[in-house]
Amino acid sequence: SQTSGGYDGSTPLAVYGDITARADVDTFWVKPLSGYTGPITFRLQTAGVSLLAAKLSVYDDAGRLLGSTTGSAGGVLT
């Protein structure tokens, strides 16, 4: 949902990437809502869209790896 100040966090936020070359990497940046200290869930889905065996990596604002996972072709990663 949107507010006059932007996204208010009451609904999921979806973004889409595409792979145009074997070495293609899509990068997204998420700024947490002001004052929010709870968890954030990231979900990467290729199921029903492609047979891509995806990799999902999450970094903090200093570039440190917080977690990473890989999946099978046409899967869902969280």
Side-chain angles (χ1 to χ4, degrees), residues 13-30:
L13 182 61
V15 295
Y16 299 90
D18 66 359
I19 303 297
T20 55
R22 184 168 179 82
D24 193 2
V25 174
D26 289 337
T27 304
F28 302 93
W29 179 74
V30 177

Side-chain angles (χ1 to χ4, degrees), residues 3-75:
T3 67
S4 61
Y7 181 72
D8 71 6
S10 64
T11 60
L13 182 61
V15 295
Y16 299 90
D18 66 359
I19 303 297
T20 55
R22 184 168 179 82
D24 193 2
V25 174
D26 289 337
T27 304
F28 302 93
W29 179 74
V30 177
K31 181 178 178 183
L33 296 171
S34 178
Y36 182 74
T37 60
I40 296 176
T41 300
F42 296 91
R43 182 174 189 259
L44 188 154
Q45 177 176 333
T46 60
V49 179
S50 88
L51 294 177
L52 175 72
K55 178 179 179 181
L56 174 65
S57 300
V58 177
Y59 297 86
D60 67 10
D61 58 347
R64 294 178 295 247
L65 181 65
L66 299 176
S68 182
T69 186
T70 56
S72 59

